[in-house]
Amino acid sequence: MTVPEPRGRAADADWFGTAAEALPTDAGDSVLIGRIWDPSVDGPSPVTVRDGQVIDISHRFPTVRDICELPDPAATVAALDGRVLGSIGAVLANTGAGTRDRTQPWLLAPVDLQALKAAGVTFPVSMIERVIEERARGDLALAADLRGRMLADVGADLHSLVPGSAQARQLKDLLVAEGMWSQYLEVGIGPDAEIFTKGQILSAVGTAVPVGVLATSTWNNPEPEVALVVQSSGRIVGATLGNDVNLRDVEGRSALLLPLAKDNNASCALGPLIRLFDERFDMRRVRELEVALTIRGVDGFQLEAVSEMTRMSRDPETLVRQMIGPHHHYPDGAVLMLGTMFAPIQDRDRPGEGFTHKIDDVVRIGCPALGTLVNRVRHAQECAPWHFGIRDLMGNLARRGLL
């Protein structure tokens, strides 16, 4: 795997941040797990991060999936010992280095055999933006005009509307009568959520590496999100951060192009680590999280935004129940990105054309409870190719005597 050399002013050696930024502010009271690539075994290993040290726990649990299926993952991991691979600072620095030392470990996405799922249109503001995408058909100039008219007709504050409720049905009837109904409003305020496959198992990338957008896309953006880690029983056992990279022009042409808009090389970023649920961190904390987004471009462009989980139109546990249950099983569990309220309407180049990525944008997604996920934007075709699949993982673990 060749990591492209950094370019431009965003190519500072520490573009990916520090170990302190990568970890929760209360890291000493957190139970954290993740994955590293261990060159000594030529394969991935689950790790825990404790007191600033990265500890290999593959001798007890060969996959992160095995940890997440435990009755009490946090308590088990908190009691584990293992081989110290180095400090989280050193491992993070090697992950983001322009020239990586391939004899030393580096971070990977913190999940392995879990299905990669995502929920869409879970915030009212993102619902409006999806309707605009659909009607503008990828035309940035038309989008600005539509945005003003949509907010005037529908109303800027839909936060209190409960999807599937009588009030939501009344709004649907009104919009249909006015010719304003959309498939995005259907999943935004209707009874059924939009839940889709973001990527294939093992295809996610972690922190301090590039994320990919197609070279042919001219309108795209990050989607900063909280991601829940769900075991096969449907129980939520932890959370991490995610970037559900989206090609707005592609999805705007047709919702049937969602796989092309969402699932490309390096288009799903998760991490840096999973924080397991315990008495200090649970769903109550997740519902109160505020996720900050910062974008810095080599052109001097800066954008900052915040997603407040309290403004979700659907409860996270409701989304999990729609994803997994008697109607749909995931034997190895799943990670579910919960959607974003980030509405990228700040103009970058020309008035009225809003935001789109440029190569070498540095995207930071963070919150105190989960740390910071940092990625640099590249064309998907230029990102390191995904070549280590399930068969490779099983073969590697078998050779190491872990299966």
Side-chain angles (χ1 to χ4, degrees), residues 168-235:
R169 290 193 296 272
Q170 290 173 3
L171 177 59
K172 175 179 178 178
D173 292 341
L174 173 64
L175 292 170
V176 169
E178 295 184 359
M180 292 291 291
W181 187 248
S182 161
Q183 58 200 338
Y184 292 105
L185 291 170
E186 175 64 44
V187 296
I189 64 176
D192 298 316
E194 179 194 21
I195 297 177
F196 57 92
T197 297
K198 172 61 181 178
Q200 299 306 302
I201 292 169
L202 289 175
S203 69
V205 299
T207 196
V209 297
V211 289
V213 299
L214 292 184
T216 54
S217 174
T218 59
W219 187 16
N220 48 71
N221 61 258
E223 293 193 358
E225 306 186 12
V226 172
L228 297 179
V229 181
V230 184
Q231 62 180 209
S232 60
S233 68
R235 186 164 69 100

Side-chain angles (χ1 to χ4, degrees), residues 106-264:
W106 61 87
L107 289 169
L108 302 171
V111 298
D112 42 40
L113 294 178
Q114 292 93 341
L116 302 178
K117 309 292 288 188
V121 201
T122 57
F123 288 83
V125 68
S126 67
M127 176 179 68
I128 296 299
E129 286 302 311
R130 293 302 176 267
V131 176
I132 291 168
E133 284 175 11
E134 179 185 43
R135 292 175 177 266
R137 301 292 182 185
D139 185 330
L140 286 167
L142 179 57
D145 178 62
L146 286 170
R147 185 172 293 110
R149 290 192 285 122
M150 276 289 297
L151 291 178
D153 289 344
V154 177
D157 187 9
L158 297 175
H159 172 56
S160 62
L161 192 66
V162 178
S165 66
Q167 292 83 358
R169 290 193 296 272
Q170 290 173 3
L171 177 59
K172 175 179 178 178
D173 292 341
L174 173 64
L175 292 170
V176 169
E178 295 184 359
M180 292 291 291
W181 187 248
S182 161
Q183 58 200 338
Y184 292 105
L185 291 170
E186 175 64 44
V187 296
I189 64 176
D192 298 316
E194 179 194 21
I195 297 177
F196 57 92
T197 297
K198 172 61 181 178
Q200 299 306 302
I201 292 169
L202 289 175
S203 69
V205 299
T207 196
V209 297
V211 289
V213 299
L214 292 184
T216 54
S217 174
T218 59
W219 187 16
N220 48 71
N221 61 258
E223 293 193 358
E225 306 186 12
V226 172
L228 297 179
V229 181
V230 184
Q231 62 180 209
S232 60
S233 68
R235 186 164 69 100
I236 305 166
V237 296
T240 188
L241 295 167
N243 185 351
D244 178 14
V245 180
N246 186 38
L247 309 183
R248 300 192 71 187
D249 49 354
V250 173
E251 187 176 359
R253 284 159 48 204
S254 171
L256 296 180
L257 292 175
L258 183 68
L260 180 63
K262 291 290 190 177
D263 185 4
N264 296 292

Side-chain angles (χ1 to χ4, degrees), residues 2-24:
T2 301
V3 178
E5 288 295 329
R7 300 177 296 206
R9 283 189 297 143
D12 298 334
D14 60 350
W15 69 269
F16 45 82
T18 66
E21 293 168 331
L23 298 177

Side-chain angles (χ1 to χ4, degrees), residues 195 230 234 236 287 315-328 336:
I195 297 177
V230 184
I236 305 166
R287 291 185 178 95
D315 184 75
E317 288 187 297
T318 299
L319 292 170
V320 169
R321 287 195 295 271
Q322 291 210 19
M323 176 190 72
I324 187 170
H327 63 292
H328 204 317
L336 176 64

